[in-house]
Amino acid sequence: MNPARSQHGDGQRTAGVTFAARLTFEDIRHRYHGKDTIRGVTLTAEPGEVLCLLGPSGSGKTTLLRIAAGIEVQTSGRLLINDSEVAGPSGFVPPEKRGIGLMFQDFALFPHMSVLDNVRFGLTAMPSKNAVSEAMLALERVGLSHYAEKYPHSLSGGEQQRVALARALAPRPSVLLMDEPFSGLDSRLKDTIRADTLDILRESRATAVVVTHDAEEAMRMADRIALLRDGQLVQVGTSDDLYRRPRDLFAAAFFSEINEFSGTVTGGRVETPLGTAPANGFAEGCEVSIAVRLSGLSVRESGGAIPARILARRFLGVVELLDLAIPGTERPVRARIRADLLSPAIRDVTITVDPRDILVFEKPIENPYIGETQI
């Protein structure tokens, strides 16, 4: 049976299944107006995998996506699809011949075309009748076949996002590239649209590379996450890897709110205002940075290890955010606790820290490329 014509038991047709490809960035470097934007990135998205490129603005994630799409050309290095070079010393394969789909941040729908015509726009290589059939199949999968004759302006942001996804998947790309696909959506819709999109990606079986600056979004969607900073790869792994075993202070701070301290290793340990932490693997006398997750602080009226005074508290619904004064530091310590745990009038409390939420790293060194702090 042709997978594009397969049906669920309820009669709903599924999206066409593609042959997922392996996408490899091999020592990719890129310069723009004399500035290094990508610095030797080597990374592979495995067939059928959802890989998120995560990082702050200017980290190089969108540039990598544009290089993969063929919109941008790297300064050096190679891009491979299923181990065949599509950009590098051996030549350049144009975007339309790479079997790659691209979904833009702003959806890039044509306002003068119907929803159906938008979706079949990239299906010019097949007969018109077949193109319409494939476009309708893609629209059915995203639940918008009844909007086929409507125009983009009459759709909500979430519906436009699904049309853009249908258009990207209609040619059955072996790799789908998505640039901040949910950034323009209402926060109340994001969870639903994100979950629906992930279901569609799993069903289509395409390899997907998703750009985002939102760590939680990456953790919700990705099989693996590639964390970038200043054009360099900081760490690659599952969400569990990056959260529980961050490679450096930057990675730790990107995945959770932290309190940061400095210290010196003495006898395999380091003293902090929140207690003593093990510093295994660090040399005696080594200067280190210590990160303590806000969620790792247990704040109680009494019985804790460290006395503290509440300077400020902000109710956030399920949780409260506290600013606390503690001995040993002039900087307030922050904690995130379950709301209504403390009575409204209380000021003097105690703190206990979960040792698993105390992380010790080497001190940041100077970035040799741009002369600023590099974690």
Side-chain angles (χ1 to χ4, degrees):
M1 177 185 292
N2 184 341
R5 295 291 179 263
S6 63
Q7 296 188 354
H8 294 295
D10 60 4
Q12 180 183 359
R13 294 190 297 178
T14 65
V17 175
T18 64
F19 294 99
R22 176 181 294 103
L23 176 68
T24 301
F25 302 92
E26 189 178 280
D27 194 24
I28 295 292
R29 298 175 185 273
H30 181 268
R31 290 178 64 83
Y32 184 72
H33 290 313
K35 179 183 177 183
D36 291 315
T37 54
I38 304 291
R39 303 185 176 100
V41 169
T42 296
L43 177 66
T44 298
E46 297 295 341
E49 178 180 47
V50 177
L51 175 70
C52 276
L53 302 181
L54 175 67
S57 297
S59 60
K61 53 191 187 297
T62 295
T63 300
L64 276 177
L65 206 73
R66 290 171 63 85
I67 289 170
I71 299 171
E72 199 84 40
V73 180
Q74 70 270 26
T75 304
S76 65
R78 300 198 304 159
L79 181 77
L80 302 99
I81 297 178
N82 284 339
D83 302 321
S84 296
E85 184 178 304
V86 295
S90 298
F92 180 84
V93 176
E96 66 274 12
K97 294 185 178 179
R98 294 188 182 188
I100 285 180
L102 181 59
M103 184 172 166
F104 294 97
Q105 182 175 346
D106 60 359
F107 311 147
L109 300 177
F110 299 109
H112 63 288
M113 290 185 181
S114 69
V115 165
L116 177 62
D117 287 341
N118 265 280
V119 175
R120 71 170 182 164
F121 181 77
L123 301 174
T124 54
M126 61 176 63
S128 179
K129 183 178 179 181
N130 291 356
V132 169
S133 177
E134 290 296 322
M136 285 301 298
L137 180 63
L139 281 172
E140 283 180 29
R141 182 57 190 89
V142 300
L144 292 178
S145 58
H146 56 296
Y147 284 173
E149 301 306 318
K150 290 185 177 292
Y151 286 81
H153 72 269
S154 66
L155 275 57
S156 68
E159 289 164 344
Q160 290 184 35
Q161 195 268 358
R162 284 189 280 163
V163 172
L165 178 60
R167 183 178 63 184
L169 287 173
R172 303 188 209 169
S174 56
V175 178
L176 178 62
L177 308 175
M178 307 174 75
D179 186 10
E180 300 271 11
F182 312 107
S183 62
L185 298 178
D186 187 302
S187 59
R188 294 170 297 177
L189 291 175
K190 277 188 180 182
D191 288 352
T192 301
I193 298 295
R194 204 159 35 202
D196 289 346
T197 299
L198 189 57
D199 286 344
I200 294 166
L201 292 177
R202 296 298 187 207
E203 186 177 295
S204 69
R205 302 181 192 172
T207 305
V209 181
V210 184
V211 162
T212 181
H213 63 272
D214 185 331
E216 182 178 335
E217 181 166 279
M219 295 173 82
R220 283 174 179 263
M221 291 199 69
D223 296 309
R224 287 189 306 141
I225 299 169
L227 180 62
L228 294 155
R229 185 189 189 214
D230 296 331
Q232 295 174 299
L233 201 55
V234 175
Q235 189 172 351
V236 183
T238 65
S239 57
D240 189 77
D241 289 334
L242 271 69
Y243 182 85
R244 298 185 188 278
R245 293 170 290 278
R247 184 168 295 170
D248 57 24
L249 190 63
F250 171 76
F254 213 90
F255 282 88
S256 56
E257 295 176 287
I258 61 172
N259 295 291
E260 184 182 342
F261 305 100
S262 296
T264 304
V265 175
T266 304
R269 304 185 69 80
V270 60
E271 291 289 339
T272 81
L274 291 172
T276 303
N280 301 323
F282 291 93
E284 185 75 8
C286 179
E287 296 293 319
V288 292
S289 294
I290 305 102
V292 183
R293 293 190 177 106
L294 271 61
S295 57
L297 275 65
S298 174
V299 183
R300 297 179 289 179
E301 294 188 12
S302 61
I306 303 164
R309 171 161 288 189
I310 298 176
L311 301 175
R313 60 195 297 181
R314 184 172 293 276
F315 177 74
L316 301 178
V318 177
V319 299
E320 272 190 291
L321 190 62
L322 306 179
D323 286 352
L324 303 158
I326 65 170
T329 178
E330 295 183 0
R331 182 187 302 175
V333 168
R334 295 178 299 152
R336 183 179 287 267
I337 66 170
R338 182 170 59 83
D340 304 322
L341 193 65
L342 302 172
S343 62
I346 194 169
R347 291 197 65 198
D348 293 318
V349 293
T350 61
I351 298 173
T352 301
V353 181
D354 187 334
R356 294 173 299 180
D357 289 303
I358 302 178
L359 307 168
V360 181
F361 304 104
E362 290 184 10
K363 273 283 190 182
I365 60 174
E366 185 176 293
N367 188 329
Y369 292 103
I370 56 177
E372 65 181 32
T373 299
Q374 172 73 27
I375 303 297

